[in-house]
Amino acid sequence: MISYLLVCILWSKPEIKVIKVPVNEYAMAFIEETFGEFKYEASVVEGRINSVKISHFKKDVSSHSYSASDLQLKSLVTRLQVVEDESSLDCDVRPSETTKGQK
């Protein structure tokens, strides 16, 4: 059986952080991470990227991206710039390293 990971690259100018979360047996995963001035959220539903969101704590603004329910997207991106604070969230669903090459 092939297992999958939700892999997200969080960028809070000028820092980068990578988060990897396993997709569970119900084909779901979720991250919620604070990094710099931002809060990052991403979800996987039915094995596809469902949504990504960045929120800026001090400015009370956010950026969201959602996938259509009938598309099986494996990646999704959102970006947010508030004055000089810049951020992005790039997420994708990929086979875990231990299952690459297996069927």
Side-chain angles (χ1 to χ4, degrees):
M1 183 170 135
I2 296 177
S3 59
Y4 292 90
L5 293 172
L6 168 60
V7 179
C8 295
I9 300 170
L10 291 58
W11 177 65
S12 179
K13 186 181 179 182
E15 306 285 325
I16 293 177
K17 186 175 189 178
V18 177
I19 305 287
K20 297 179 181 180
V21 175
V23 176
N24 68 21
E25 65 272 16
Y26 305 106
M28 298 179 74
F30 182 76
I31 68 158
E32 184 174 283
E33 186 76 20
T34 301
F35 182 51
E37 297 288 323
F38 301 93
K39 179 180 176 183
Y40 300 84
E41 298 174 64
S43 65
V44 171
V45 175
E46 297 176 352
R48 65 176 176 78
I49 294 282
N50 183 55
S51 66
V52 293
K53 178 182 178 181
I54 303 171
S55 301
H56 191 287
F57 290 118
K58 294 180 181 176
K59 308 286 188 196
D60 196 30
V61 296
S62 62
S63 175
H64 309 255
S65 293
Y66 298 94
S67 66
S69 62
D70 59 342
L71 294 178
Q72 290 296 315
L73 292 181
K74 295 297 182 186
S75 63
L76 199 56
V77 176
T78 193
R79 292 178 176 28
L80 179 63
Q81 181 174 355
V82 181
V83 189
E84 68 278 346
D85 293 334
E86 296 178 52
S87 182
S88 69
L89 177 57
D90 301 276
C91 296
D92 63 281
V93 176
R94 60 176 78 156
S96 70
E97 297 297 320
T98 58
T99 60
K100 282 189 175 175
Q102 294 181 7
K103 293 186 179 183

